């Protein structure tokens, strides 16, 4: 099987490494990739958001399967173009990708499927903002306001704050930019990311993971695209994972089928485990970053065959997944000033060690690997338990040199210390 992966982050690097372990995968290509993926796949500098260019590349490399990593090409319909060209694709259609691309669509699907989620209100007129803010947050007896961009925002469109001025300012900025704003009730409880391989009504869950969205230790500072993750979750009973699949993911997949936009790809349920049970924070239409780096490090089943089965309608026959015992931890190494405008162009040393996945990196003409994005690297450690996986990940993180870079030191710490309880 020849597989083409679309994207350029550490998630795509992790996908390529897992695909390479599949004995049926004979060739790997990636577009556009980064300095790390170049050593494991043929790399093509192709615009991932151009359906025509991606189809042309898939034909050039003779791809039997195309795996689309990021949400933007999916929301733009790149998967539809591949399927129309007769090329198997792991990734939802443009219509199904609205589960991530439009928060209002996702809420509508969840309501129809009877799935528990935050109550919400969309505001598109600045004149209605103050009255809407009064119906949420501390004004309505909740600990905080949750203010979201209705469209795609790479994880950075969300502000959760008990400060009305901060909530109002974020909403006003979004509205001024022409973006409708979603106000949501606050869901209390530990968060879970459950990735499910889905084809129509067939749902195969991967190991549950947890990610860390704030930039600083102890969840201090602004939201980012993700600063670290671990899997599996020692504090989450298997019965709750089963409940999430049965009561949330399957009904949503079935509702998408009912609406004529069946989902084929990775349906990512972001949840809070509240005192009343699991509730959806958001759905995404693709593998999450950085959880993928931890989850795939533990996958023993052949990833190319799994994604290929979903892409060709054979997922129901795939059988149960096999996982390595133990735990995996991902720590993201970010550039100075990230999530603000990051410092770029610095030489990185240690970036070619085992367990280092690349995101914002490129290779200079003299061969040096340099930083070219806010989240620069993801390091992944595995071990017999969470504590040893953390130790392995932080040993790699400490060995990397990048001027001004920073990472969180508490990824998976509360879980390793038994401080997360339902
Ligand atoms: N882990 C957050 C995301 O991928 O959106």
């Amino acid at each position: 099987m020849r597989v083409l992966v679309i994207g350029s982050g550490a998630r795509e690097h992790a996908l390529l490494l897992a695909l390479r372990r599949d004995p049926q995968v004979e060739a790997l290509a990636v577009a556009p990739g980064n300095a790390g993926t170049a050593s494991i796949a043929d790399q093509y500098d192709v615009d991932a958001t151009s359906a025509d260019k991606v189809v042309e590349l898939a034909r050039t490399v003779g791809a039997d399967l195309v795996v689309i990593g990021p949400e933007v090409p999916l929301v733009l319909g790149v998967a539809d173009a591949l399927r129309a060209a007769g090329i198997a694709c792991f990734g939802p259609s443009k219509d199904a990708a609205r589960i991530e691309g439009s928060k209002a669509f996702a809420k509508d699907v969840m309501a129809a499927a009877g799935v528990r989620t935050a109550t919400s209100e969309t505001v598109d007129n600045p004149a209605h903002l103050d009255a809407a803010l009064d119906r949420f947050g501390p004004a309505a007896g909740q600990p905080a306001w949750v203010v979201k961009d209705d469209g795609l925002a790479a994880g950075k469109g969300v502000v959760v704050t008990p400060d009305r001025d901060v909530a109002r300012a974020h909403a006003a900025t979004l509205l001024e930019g022409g973006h409708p704003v979603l106000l949501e009730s606050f869901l209390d409880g530990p968060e879970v990311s459950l990735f499910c391989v889905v084809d129509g009504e067939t749902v195969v869950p991967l190991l549950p993971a947890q990610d860390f969205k704030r930039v600083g230790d102890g969840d201090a500072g602004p939201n980012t695209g993700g600063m670290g993750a671990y899997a599996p979750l020692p504090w989450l009973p298997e019965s709750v994972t089963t409940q999430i699949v049965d009561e949330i993911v399957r009904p949503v997949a079935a509702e998408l089928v009912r609406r004529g936009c069946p989902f084929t790809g990775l349906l990512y349920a972001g949840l809070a485990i509240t005192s009343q049970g699991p509730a959806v924070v958001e759905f995404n239409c693709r593998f999450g970053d950085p959880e993928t780096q931890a989850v795939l490090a533990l996958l023993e089943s052949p990833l190319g065959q799994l994604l290929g089965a979903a892409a060709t309608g054979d997922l129901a026959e795939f059988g149960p997944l096999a996982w390595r015992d133990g735990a995996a931890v991902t720590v993201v190494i970010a550039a100075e000033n990230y999530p603000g405008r990051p410092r770029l162009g610095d030489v990185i040393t240690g970036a070619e060690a085992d367990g280092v996945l690349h995101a914002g990196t490129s290779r200079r003409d003299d061969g040096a690997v340099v930083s070219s994005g806010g989240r620069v690297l993801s390091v992944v450690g595995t071990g017999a338990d969470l504590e040893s996986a953390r130790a392995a990940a932080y040993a790699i993180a400490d060995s990397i040199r990048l001027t001004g870079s920073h990472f969180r030191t508490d990824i998976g710490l509360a879980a390793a210390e038994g401080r997360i309880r339902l």
Side-chain angles (χ1 to χ4, degrees):
M1 183 189 333
R2 307 175 73 81
V3 186
L4 167 63
V5 173
I6 300 298
S8 63
R11 166 185 52 203
E12 285 73 29
H13 197 163
L15 283 163
L16 288 164
L17 286 175
L19 287 164
R20 191 170 65 167
R21 296 199 297 269
D22 181 336
Q24 283 192 19
V25 173
E26 72 210 49
L28 285 170
V30 63
N34 58 44
T37 57
S39 62
I40 50 173
D42 295 332
Q43 196 141 305
Y44 297 87
D45 189 14
V46 161
D47 176 5
T49 63
S50 162
D52 290 347
K53 297 255 164 57
V54 172
V55 169
E56 190 185 318
L57 176 62
R59 288 201 174 112
T60 304
V61 302
D64 303 297
L65 173 67
V66 179
V67 178
I68 300 180
E71 60 276 22
V72 173
L74 293 166
V75 167
L76 292 175
V78 173
D80 306 69
L82 285 160
R83 285 192 195 100
I87 300 164
C89 176
F90 183 80
S93 67
K94 178 179 178 166
D95 282 351
R98 284 180 297 164
I99 196 78
E100 174 166 3
S102 164
K103 305 261 183 304
F105 174 78
K107 289 285 179 195
D108 197 49
V109 169
M110 283 187 267
V115 163
R116 246 164 48 78
T117 182
T119 55
S120 69
E121 203 173 312
T122 305
V123 182
D124 52 14
N125 180 344
H128 300 158
L129 179 58
D130 283 302
L133 283 168
D134 287 342
R135 292 189 282 275
F136 289 87
Q142 289 229 312
W145 278 278
V146 180
V147 183
K148 295 185 175 177
D149 188 332
D150 181 59
L152 293 179
K156 292 191 232 159
V158 186
V159 163
V160 180
T161 175
D163 184 330
R164 185 187 175 105
D165 290 342
V166 174
R168 191 182 192 292
H170 182 58
T173 306
L174 291 171
L175 288 167
E176 273 161 28
H179 296 232
V181 166
L182 202 74
L183 296 178
E184 281 191 353
S185 60
F186 181 83
L187 292 175
D188 219 350
E191 290 198 1
V192 172
S193 300
L194 187 67
F195 298 168
C196 296
V197 176
V198 171
D199 182 32
E201 300 206 25
T202 308
V203 174
V204 176
L206 308 188
L207 289 181
Q210 191 177 51
D211 74 342
F212 293 73
K213 296 192 177 81
R214 303 275 185 156
V215 71
D217 281 359
D219 288 335
N223 266 347
T224 68
M227 292 299 289
Y230 67 96
L233 307 178
W235 47 268
L236 188 74
E238 221 172 291
S239 59
V240 179
T241 305
T242 306
Q243 186 188 5
I244 295 167
V245 172
D246 290 347
E247 296 178 10
I248 294 177
V249 183
R250 271 206 195 93
V252 162
E255 175 62 19
L256 291 172
V257 170
R258 198 189 65 75
R259 289 177 183 223
C261 49
F263 191 99
T264 298
L266 197 289
L267 189 53
Y268 163 157
L271 309 129
I273 311 300
T274 71
S275 50
Q276 277 109 57
V280 175
V281 176
E282 63 180 6
F283 273 105
N284 292 318
C285 67
R286 36 86 198 168
F287 280 98
D289 188 334
E291 300 98 307
T292 298
Q293 293 88 300
V295 171
L296 292 186
L298 299 172
L299 181 70
E300 280 186 341
S301 298
L303 183 67
Q305 293 169 58
L306 172 64
L307 305 188
T312 55
D314 297 325
L315 186 61
E317 281 80 59
F318 192 80
L321 299 184
W323 297 96
R324 240 173 99 167
D325 287 337
V329 171
T330 301
V331 177
V332 171
I333 315 283
E336 182 174 333
N337 203 40
Y338 177 82
R341 182 194 288 262
R343 171 184 166 133
L344 305 177
D346 291 299
V347 173
I348 311 163
T349 51
E352 275 151 313
D354 278 353
V356 180
L357 304 178
H358 288 223
T361 66
S362 52
R363 197 172 289 277
R364 253 183 2 202
D365 289 347
D366 65 1
V369 177
V370 297
S371 55
S372 60
R375 290 191 301 161
V376 183
L377 303 169
S378 274
V379 301
V380 183
T382 55
D385 55 21
L386 196 46
E387 212 166 278
S388 52
R390 268 176 48 77
Y394 280 110
I396 307 171
D398 287 335
S399 71
I400 289 174
R401 294 284 165 268
L402 169 62
T403 306
S405 63
H406 56 98
F407 56 83
R408 279 184 67 157
T409 65
D410 63 348
I411 305 301
L413 180 61
E417 291 179 347
R419 284 189 280 119
I420 304 185
R421 285 197 196 86
L422 295 180

